[in-house]
């Protein structure tokens, strides 16, 4: 494996068969791409995916195309390879795509997948968890575990739907794993995109996988969010000693760009909260507010059409004291 350098960050574009890198290029001097999570707008094609980026020694961001809300974005998983097994943070949306992730890992190492971190409990990150090895440990925050347990036992689950994997381990706000001599910290920095968001921090390499708490160039998606708390959670992440911030959705770019776009995303969440709060105070309904307000440049981000009204409604719920405890 390559050694991480502060001045150069290397990209591996790995074929779906896991045969090896098809392209290797320095990202250290790359400029930011367009302000969208659409991989095609960044110049990529279907043949470039799944796309694997080495973000530190033996640590990879796995990026796959995901279609949602009538648009195309990318979903990112984290892979950590150690001498005692492989840790994966977040799967993909369905068993087929998660199996592709599993097969990719098999082409990278002989080590088995031993740990799966449920950083986000949403289906686009857990829907394919049944494709992971049966003996793997699944670790989640209590709030996310409760969501998955309720889904697994729901008598109205559609017939033929993939099975829901219930977490085997419940973690606290700061859980430290030692896997093959590598320290891996599972952190709950506060409620944000969901009530049980986890981030994965690797002190060696200073990598922070943020899952869906960081939606790069995606309009703040707040279906189950805690809007004001999300801003505070992002502030805590930005205060950490991090070299590479890895989003849960969005095209991977250089560390400097990823950090700058995290700041932009934090400001976008705050902007939505502030504007929705102002319009709520003026007595506008959420629907009226969505028609009246313009959020500036984030109006051009991915999923704006499907997420704008939903985000305003969620802020209104917070202001009305209607969010779950």
């Amino acid at each position: 494996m390559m050694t991480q350098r502060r001045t150069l960050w290397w990209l591996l574009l790995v074929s779906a068969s896991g045969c090896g890198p098809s392209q290797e290029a320095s990202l250290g001097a790359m400029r930011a791409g367009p302000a969208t999570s659409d991989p095609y707008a960044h110049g990529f094609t279907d043949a470039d995916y799944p796309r694997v980026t080495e973000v530190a020694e033996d640590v990879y961001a796995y990026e796959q195309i995901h279609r949602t809300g009538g648009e195309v974005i990318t979903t990112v998983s984290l892979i950590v390879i150690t001498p005692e097994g492989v840790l994966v943070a977040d799967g993909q949306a369905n068993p087929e795509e998660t199996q592709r992730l599993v097969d990719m890992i098999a082409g990278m190492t002989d080590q088995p997948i031993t740990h799966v971190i449920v950083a986000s409990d949403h289906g686009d990150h857990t829907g394919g968890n049944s494709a992971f090895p049966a003996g793997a440990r699944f670790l989640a925050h209590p709030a996310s575990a409760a969501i998955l347990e309720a889904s697994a036992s729901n008598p109205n689950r559609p017939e033929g739907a993939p099975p829901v994997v219930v977490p085997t381990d419940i973690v606290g706000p700061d859980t430290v794993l030692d896997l093959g001599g590598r320290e891996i910290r599972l952190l709950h920095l506060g409620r944000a995109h969901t009530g049980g968001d986890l981030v994965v921090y690797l002190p060696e390499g200073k990598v922070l996988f943020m899952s869906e708490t960081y939606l790069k160039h995606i309009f703040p998606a707040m279906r189950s969010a805690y809007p004001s708390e999300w801003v505070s959670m992002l502030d805590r992440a930005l205060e950490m000693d991090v070299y590479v911030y890895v989003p849960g959705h969005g095209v991977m770019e250089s560390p400097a760009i990823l950090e700058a776009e995290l700041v932009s995303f934090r400001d976008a969440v705050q902007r939505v909260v502030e504007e929705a709060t102002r319009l709520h105070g003026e007595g506008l309904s959420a629907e009226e507010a969505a028609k009246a307000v313009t959020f500036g440049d984030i109006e051009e981000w991915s999923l704006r059409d499907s997420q704008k009204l939903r985000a305003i409604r969620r802020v209104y719920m917070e202001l009305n004291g209607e969010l779950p405890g």
Side-chain angles (χ1 to χ4, degrees), residues 2-162:
M2 292 175 293
T3 301
Q4 181 189 28
R5 303 182 182 123
R6 297 291 295 185
T7 55
L8 291 178
W9 198 49
W10 297 94
L11 171 69
L12 300 178
L13 297 182
V14 186
S15 68
S17 65
C19 295
S22 60
Q23 180 180 352
E24 189 175 84
S26 168
L27 291 185
M30 285 188 67
R31 297 180 179 177
T36 173
S37 183
D38 185 339
Y40 305 136
H42 285 255
F44 295 107
T45 69
D46 289 347
D48 294 311
Y49 289 89
R51 184 171 175 248
V52 176
T53 307
E54 186 172 45
V55 295
E57 187 171 4
D58 296 329
V59 182
Y60 302 86
Y62 175 97
E63 189 184 338
Q64 181 58 299
I65 289 172
H66 178 64
R67 291 171 171 82
T68 183
E71 299 185 51
V72 178
I73 61 173
T74 61
T75 297
V76 185
S77 305
L78 186 76
I79 302 167
V80 183
I81 299 175
T82 83
E84 294 180 4
V86 178
L87 177 144
V88 179
D90 281 353
Q92 295 281 317
N94 56 58
E96 294 75 22
E97 284 301 338
T98 301
Q99 184 62 54
R100 184 177 294 187
L101 167 62
V102 170
D103 292 343
M104 177 75 77
I105 293 170
M108 299 166 67
T109 178
D110 292 333
Q111 290 294 328
I113 297 171
T114 57
H115 295 71
V116 177
I117 310 305
V118 178
S120 169
D121 55 55
H122 284 173
D124 52 339
H125 296 259
T126 62
N129 279 358
S130 60
F132 284 116
R137 294 169 58 188
F138 288 79
L139 297 89
H141 182 274
S144 292
I147 292 289
L148 294 172
E149 288 168 0
S151 180
S153 60
N154 182 358
N156 298 318
R157 277 186 60 77
E159 185 176 352

Side-chain angles (χ1 to χ4, degrees), residues 14 52 59 69 76-77 142 164 178 185 188 191 226 242 264 301:
V14 186
V52 176
V59 182
V76 185
S77 305
V164 175
D178 183 334
R185 292 179 62 189
H188 177 65
R191 300 188 297 187
Y226 294 80
V242 175
S264 295
W301 287 6

